[in-house]
Amino acid sequence: MKYYVMSTRITAALTCLSFIFILIAHYGFNGADAEFWCNVCLAVFGSGLLTFITSCIGYFTEKRRTLEGFFYSTQTLLHIINKYDLNWNLERKIDFFLDYSDVDKSVWDAQLGSIYFMLDPDREKFNYIYQEIYKPVLDLNQEIASHETNFKWHRNGSGKNDTVMADCVGKIEALLMENTTKKLTTNDGQEIQITHIQNKLVHTTLKELNGRFYDIMYGKKKESEDS
């Protein structure tokens, strides 16, 4: 995306400057030299305008391709993360985190690095994507990575310690899961407790992907497209 942004900006400036020179040469000077330079500027203006249009088309095509790639890569990671079950035993949880650590995330990282918007004062759109979509998943990845060695030692028996492992898993789950309990009163006056377990990372990130991120990607609200 950045290549097309730079190309568009440069050719836009070149086109505007050449147009100004055409006006100056046409109305400010007379003679063969003025006509010659006017023709030169016309040639520059024509090629610059064509390149500008081509760059704009390339930018919007690349923008959609890059954002869609990031969208689907993020969804793939969230699909894996969403399989996590708070009711698993400790060994199953450790196996899940070790398997997740082996998932290649390099393409996802590279896709974020390729995002560069043409009209984005103070990189507000990029910072939104980074803070609200990329960073929550990145924080989880880094937290899992920080315990990966201990998990491997626990699995192979060289450093087996259920208490330490439970603490490590708890730190990861704090970023991942949400367990809330609500008290409700029935019609006959009895109070009951309802426990709601939710993968808060998946829930909030999908909400952003299908909300503002979708608007940025396609320039329109998803609700409008679905209606």
Side-chain angles (χ1 to χ4, degrees):
M1 290 172 66
K2 189 173 183 178
Y3 165 80
Y4 288 104
V5 171
M6 295 299 104
S7 176
T8 301
R9 289 175 178 173
I10 292 172
T11 53
L14 183 62
T15 302
C16 291
L17 285 174
S18 61
F19 182 73
I20 292 171
F21 287 143
I22 290 171
L23 295 178
I24 293 173
H26 181 72
Y27 292 105
F29 299 94
N30 294 315
D33 288 343
E35 185 178 352
F36 169 77
W37 288 112
C38 187
N39 289 333
V40 170
C41 290
L42 278 171
V44 174
F45 174 80
S47 60
L49 182 60
L50 179 61
T51 306
F52 172 77
I53 294 172
T54 303
S55 296
C56 285
I57 295 172
Y59 165 75
F60 287 110
T61 302
E62 183 67 11
K63 172 193 169 185
R64 180 166 179 165
R65 187 190 68 81
T66 301
L67 293 181
E68 283 181 344
F70 181 76
F71 179 89
Y72 290 118
S73 293
T74 305
Q75 277 197 327
T76 298
L77 290 178
L78 294 178
H79 176 72
I80 298 172
I81 295 170
N82 201 39
K83 294 179 180 179
Y84 187 82
D85 191 334
L86 204 59
N87 294 318
W88 285 340
N89 61 36
L90 183 62
E91 300 299 324
R92 180 68 184 90
K93 291 178 179 180
I94 290 173
D95 288 342
F96 176 86
F97 292 135
L98 286 174
D99 291 341
Y100 179 75
S101 294
D102 291 335
V103 175
D104 184 15
K105 306 170 188 71
S106 59
V107 174
W108 179 66
D109 289 324
Q111 287 166 338
L112 177 81
S114 298
I115 297 174
Y116 193 93
F117 296 102
M118 186 179 298
L119 301 175
D120 190 19
D122 300 322
R123 304 208 73 187
E124 189 271 334
K125 290 179 183 177
F126 177 84
N127 289 333
Y128 157 75
I129 294 172
Y130 180 87
Q131 292 294 336
E132 302 299 329
I133 298 174
Y134 179 80
K135 192 174 185 300
V137 180
L138 177 65
D139 288 344
L140 175 69
N141 296 345
Q142 291 177 337
E143 186 66 34
I144 293 174
S146 69
H147 302 295
E148 185 177 358
T149 301
N150 290 332
F151 288 157
K152 288 181 178 178
W153 288 345
H154 181 84
R155 176 187 273 181
N156 63 31
S158 61
K160 195 173 182 65
N161 188 320
D162 288 349
T163 302
V164 173
M165 292 303 101
D167 182 62
C168 294
V169 168
K171 291 178 180 178
I172 298 172
E173 288 180 340
L175 299 175
L176 186 61
M177 305 298 295
E178 183 177 53
N179 189 346
T180 57
T181 301
K182 292 183 179 180
K183 290 184 178 180
L184 299 177
T185 303
T186 61
N187 293 332
D188 56 5
Q190 291 184 336
E191 283 192 351
I192 59 173
Q193 287 187 340
I194 298 178
T195 300
H196 177 64
I197 299 175
Q198 176 180 256
N199 193 313
K200 63 180 181 181
L201 176 63
V202 173
H203 176 75
T204 56
T205 307
L206 280 177
K207 184 178 179 181
E208 296 297 338
L209 280 177
N210 294 311
R212 187 181 175 191
F213 184 86
Y214 188 95
D215 299 344
I216 294 172
M217 183 165 56
Y218 293 120
K220 57 185 176 181
K221 295 185 180 298
K222 189 174 184 182
E223 292 79 11
S224 298
E225 185 181 82
D226 292 342
S227 59

